[in-house]
Amino acid sequence: MIEYVDEDFGFFKEEFKTDKNLSKILLVTGGAGFIGANFISYILDNYPEYRVINFDKLTYAGNLNNLSLIENNPNYVFMKGDIANKKDVKNVYEEFNPDFVVHFAAESHVDRSIINPDIFLETNVIGTQNLLNFAREHKIEKFVLISTDEVYGSVEKGHSSIETDRMEPNNPYSASKAAAEFLIRVAHQTYGQRVNVVRSCNNYGRYQFPEKIIPKIICNAMQDKPIPIYGDGKNSRSWLNVKDHCAAIDVVLHSGKSGEIYNVAAKNEISNIDLAEKILKKMGKPLDLIEFVFDRPGHDKRYSVNANKIHNQLGWSPKINFDDGLDETISWYLIHQDWVKDVISGEYMNCYQKNGAGIK
Ligand code: NAD
Ligand code: DAU
C-alpha cells in the first residue's frame, strides 16, 4: 500500500498496485495536457491491465479535468511534479518503478517560446535529461520521446521530410525539441538505453488548449470573435487526429526498434486560411470573422513528413478522415463550453495580450 502525506502532491489511491508481476507500469509525463490526456484514456481502454502514472507539473496547459472520465480507474494515479526538478523525478521513479516511460511533458506553444525561451530549455531539455538519467538507473524497458515535425524546419513544396533528413529548427520551441532528441540519441548510443522518438505533425481533437489554431478558430467563432490569421495565411500544416497519434505511439512503444525515429502523419495538408474558412463554413459562421494580423517571427512556411517508415515497418496508418475528425472536434468544443471557459483563464489571456504574433 502506498501512503501519501502531501495532498498537494497528487491524488493518490490506496488500491493502486505497484507490484511489477501484475502487469506493465507506464509512466506518462505531461498527461494532463492535450495529447497526454488522450493517450492515457487510450491506454486504459486498450490495455485494461496496465497501471498508468500521470506525472505533470500542471502548468497553464495542464488540466486535470481532461482526465475526469478516467480519474476513478483503479489503474490510474496522478502525481504532481516538475520534470526539471531532479528530486521530483527521483521520487516518481522510486515510488512507482515503471517499466515504460512515454514522455509528453513540454512547453509546447511556439508563440510562447518566442517570448520566453528559457522555460522551454528548462522543461524540454533539462527535464528530458533528468527523466533519462533516472530511466537508466531504473533500467526502463522503453523510453519514448514525443517529438515533432517542427525539428525539420520549414520544408519546400514537393518534399516530405524523412527520418534521416537534417534537423533545422527555426524557433526556440523546435530547437528545444531537437535538443531533447539529441539527448535521446546519446542515451541510446552511449548508455545503451532502449529509446524511440516519434515525430508527429500537428494534432487536433478534444482537450486541446485554445491557444492553438484549430480550437482557437472554433472557440472564437463560437463567440463571434475575430479569428487572427498570421501573415498572408498561406503557411500550411498537416493535421492528424489525436486518436490516430495515440495509436501510433502505442505501436512504437510496443514494437518500435530501439534507437529508431518514426515520423507520424496523415495526408491532410492545408493552408491556415483554407483551414479557417473550412471550419467557419462547418460552423455556419461568416468568413469575415477572419482577420489578417502581424506574422509570427520566424514563421515556418510549411511542414510535411513522410510516414512510410512507421506504415511499412510497424503497420500503422491513420484511420480518421479529416472532415469527420473536424466535425467531431467542433461538436466536442460546442458541447464542452464549460471546459473552454475554465481554461480561458487570466493566465491564457495575459499571454495572448503580450504575444508579439497576432498583435497589429
Ligand atoms: P500541452 O501543452 O497541451 O501539454 C503539456 C503538458 O505538459 C501539460 O499538462 C503541462 O502541465 C505539462 N508540463 C509542462 N511542463 C512540465 C514540467 N516541467 N514538468 C511536468 N509537466 C510539465 O502539449 P501537447 O500539445 O499535448 O503536446 C504534448 C507533447 O507532444 C509535447 O512534447 C509536444 O512537443 C508534442 N507534440 C505536440 C503536437 C501538437 O500538435 N500538439 C504535435 C507534435 C508533437
Ligand atoms: O507541427 C507540430 C507542432 O504543431 C507541435 O510540435 C506544437 O507543439 C504545436 O503547437 C503545433 O505548432 P504550430 O505552431 O504549427 O501550431 P499553432 O496552432 O500555434 O499554429 C498553426 C498554424 O497557424 C501556424 O502556421 C501559425 C498559425 N496561426 C496560429 C495561431 C495560434 C495563426 O495564423 N493564428 C493564430 O492565432
Side-chain angles (χ1 to χ4, degrees):
M1 196 217 295
I2 310 163
E3 285 173 17
Y4 299 101
V5 281
D6 183 358
E7 282 201 347
D8 292 337
F9 207 42
F11 302 136
F12 298 102
K13 297 188 181 93
E14 288 190 358
E15 70 268 34
F16 188 85
K17 307 267 189 322
T18 51
D19 180 350
K20 298 276 278 183
N21 297 320
L22 290 175
S23 78
K24 297 293 182 191
I25 299 179
L26 174 58
L27 172 60
V28 173
T29 70
F34 162 48
I35 308 176
N38 279 287
F39 182 72
I40 291 175
S41 298
Y42 171 96
I43 288 290
L44 292 170
D45 282 350
N46 288 279
Y47 298 88
E49 73 286 8
Y50 275 25
R51 273 96 16 98
V52 181
I53 302 113
N54 174 10
F55 183 66
D56 197 300
K57 183 181 173 183
L58 299 183
T59 66
Y60 78 96
N63 182 356
L64 288 176
N65 290 334
N66 298 351
L67 286 314
S68 59
L69 297 176
I70 53 94
E71 68 189 2
N72 294 322
N73 186 314
N75 285 347
Y76 165 78
V77 282
F78 169 70
M79 183 166 177
K80 188 171 177 198
D82 181 352
I83 60 168
N85 178 316
K86 282 197 180 70
K87 217 171 124 216
D88 288 0
V89 175
K90 183 170 188 281
N91 281 343
V92 73
Y93 277 97
E94 283 181 356
E95 187 76 74
F96 296 105
N97 198 14
D99 300 288
F100 299 134
V101 177
V102 181
H103 174 30
F104 295 91
E107 287 293 336
S108 69
H109 193 45
V110 174
D111 293 331
R112 287 178 187 256
S113 80
I114 295 166
I115 298 162
N116 178 15
D118 296 9
I119 183 71
F120 284 71
L121 299 187
E122 275 162 38
T123 289
N124 301 2
V125 185
I126 303 292
T128 299
Q129 186 60 46
N130 285 339
L131 289 165
L132 283 169
N133 288 343
F134 288 99
R136 184 162 73 248
E137 213 171 274
H138 286 260
K139 302 193 173 23
I140 295 300
E141 228 171 278
K142 177 69 80 68
F143 187 111
V144 180
L145 171 71
I146 309 306
S147 190
T148 168
D149 62 356
E150 293 210 13
V151 297
Y152 294 113
S154 199
V155 180
E156 290 301 317
K157 239 188 153 38
H159 181 66
S160 293
S161 309
I162 56 170
E163 288 82 350
T164 48
D165 283 357
R166 227 168 59 168
M167 290 200 276
E168 293 180 343
N170 290 319
N171 60 62
Y173 161 71
S174 51
S176 71
K177 295 297 287 188
E181 284 205 24
F182 280 124
L183 298 174
I184 296 284
R185 180 184 163 88
V186 169
H188 180 67
Q189 298 289 349
T190 300
Y191 300 107
Q193 289 177 247
R194 292 181 50 77
V195 298
N196 284 120
V197 170
V198 175
R199 289 181 184 154
S200 167
C201 65
N202 287 59
N203 283 216
Y204 70 97
R206 65 178 180 173
Y207 304 134
Q208 187 167 31
F209 196 83
E211 65 188 348
K212 308 282 165 51
I213 189 70
I214 287 186
K216 189 190 251 188
I217 295 169
I218 300 170
C219 295
N220 283 17
M222 261 169 6
Q223 302 168 71
D224 297 307
K225 284 191 180 161
I227 316 286
I229 293 295
Y230 299 166
D232 62 7
K234 296 211 174 111
N235 299 57
S236 67
R237 297 291 183 262
S238 47
W239 292 96
L240 177 71
N241 192 284
V242 66
K243 292 178 193 165
D244 279 329
H245 190 187
C246 291
I249 297 166
D250 173 9
V251 298
V252 171
L253 174 66
H254 293 101
S255 316
K257 186 167 170 244
S258 176
E260 295 292 313
I261 297 166
Y262 297 93
N263 285 342
V264 176
K267 292 184 174 135
N268 301 315
E269 186 173 340
I270 186 167
S271 69
N272 296 330
I273 183 67
D274 288 350
L275 176 69
E277 289 185 359
K278 190 184 198 38
I279 295 173
L280 288 173
K281 280 182 196 152
K282 282 178 181 293
M283 295 178 72
K285 295 287 181 177
L287 300 190
D288 62 10
L289 282 179
I290 293 172
E291 194 181 316
F292 290 98
V293 298
F294 191 80
D295 207 355
R296 171 185 282 175
H299 195 175
D300 283 332
K301 188 81 189 166
R302 174 175 180 262
Y303 300 133
S304 174
V305 295
N306 175 322
N308 287 348
K309 179 175 171 181
I310 188 170
H311 176 70
N312 296 337
Q313 296 183 9
L314 305 181
W316 174 87
S317 49
K319 301 271 180 291
I320 301 167
N321 165 283
F322 190 38
D323 272 293
D324 294 345
L326 266 185
D327 290 343
E328 190 188 41
T329 303
I330 293 168
S331 302
W332 189 86
Y333 280 90
L334 288 172
I335 293 166
H336 294 86
Q337 296 197 29
D338 286 350
W339 181 93
V340 175
K341 271 193 207 123
D342 204 43
V343 299
I344 301 181
S345 61
E347 161 61 15
Y348 164 63
M349 290 313 290
N350 285 342
C351 167
Y352 186 80
Q353 301 296 345
K354 276 189 284 176
N355 197 338
I359 304 295
K360 270 188 185 170

